Amino acid sequence: MKTKQKSLALAVVLILSLLLTTVAYAGTTSVSGGVGDANCTASKTITQSSSYWTAYVRSQCDLGIGVIGYTSWTVRQYCPMSGSYTVRFQSSVGDVNTNTNTFQRAISNIQYATGCGNGYIRLHDMGRHDFKTILNIWRPSVTRNEMHVY
Amino acid sequence: MKKLLVPLSLMLVLVIGFALTANRASAINSNARTAAMAESNISIEETPSSPAVQVFQELNKKGQAKIGEGWLYMRQSDKVDVDPPKEEGVVPLIDTTMDGWYYINAKGFAERFVTITRTMDGQIQQVGIYSDGTTWNTMVDETEIMEPFFFENFNYGLPYGFKSPDFKSNNIALEDGSEAVLFTYTLKEEDPYYAFDYSSSARVEFMSYEYIFDSDTGFFVSLKQTVHFEDDSQRVLSYILLEEIKFIAEPPADVLKYFDLKKTREEQK
């Protein structure tokens, strides 16, 4: 029995260790906090491919809460050489799920806008998350920036 | 001995996990360093040279030699063909023109610039201003710190195509009879995909790129980026034309005033 428990502990540590490495590699910016009794995480992720990219917004708690999602979300490209922006998604209205512990949205497969003279752009995934219970509110602002040379 | 086995195993796993994380973090930092270097001093990627790459490098050298100290003026237009958005919050790409004035110092670094992006009816969409180590954009009202950057001959990302196995060049004649070089390549993802800008179309099979550079000046002329769908249809996602590029004595007064506007805005913040 004890051997089984030890094996289980070892497996858990191994999985956690591997997860840790995956998180570091995922192109994610996260902020941890909480609302009421729930421990929550607000994160933005960018994934890139040769010809397109995807921006994610994710709000997650370990317990179900009244409202979970975002209050604002902007996905855009920036060309440092011209100081100009190409906005691809913008919501200041917000989007939420109710009475649950998770929310995720993605703006998928955005082809890179190529009007930047030296081909060097930055991708921005930014905005404010929304975590609410009857008595508490937590609204962290989280930004993920990534560079792309096309 | 058996008692030590479990703690030692746990330690080993943690050490391996940490080493893997550190290794990946180091790779990420290394990438960030490379990108940061690129931001302050962007250089053309050094890649084993195919004949087409060599042709580009020669042209680029020619164009770069023409960039000296002073104010460089450029005007580009960008025409796009995308679906109107179905989803709320999606901001579609639109046709624009951009006028840019760059002050390049004796060492070839851009110290100041103003770029004005307009919609096709002439309305100013946004102005980007760079001076005193910061950029400010009127549309988003945000300031960014940026070092002066080495001003490279415009290439609109052509070196990205060096990675493509079908990257090639052909000599062509432009409509006005002048000689030019056409560079072409394609980009294909592992699997076809539904693109953000073509929600009502078939899946994208591959993208093709056509760059034209002037043989005489070495300057960029145009870029056509075409999306090829699984049903054999195709659409031009973006057509960028560098309509004008020349050195001038000084930008017009209504352009220079943006430097004052930026200063005023930064003082207010």
Side-chain angles (χ1 to χ4, degrees), chain B residues 80 224 269:
Chain B
V80 296
K224 189 160 81 170
K269 281 188 174 182

Side-chain angles (χ1 to χ4, degrees), chain B residues 127-146:
Chain B
V127 182
I129 305 133
Y130 174 55
S131 62
D132 304 319
T134 57
T135 55
W136 175 57
N137 179 286
T138 57
M139 184 173 74
V140 299
D141 191 20
E142 288 176 26
T143 303
E144 295 242 357
I145 294 169
M146 186 167 79

Side-chain angles (χ1 to χ4, degrees), chain B residues 108-137:
Chain B
F109 282 74
E111 283 182 353
R112 282 185 288 167
F113 68 67
V114 173
T115 63
I116 302 176
T117 305
R118 290 183 172 89
T119 52
M120 296 316 262
D121 59 1
Q123 298 296 311
I124 292 178
Q125 181 204 52
Q126 59 182 304
V127 182
I129 305 133
Y130 174 55
S131 62
D132 304 319
T134 57
T135 55
W136 175 57
N137 179 286

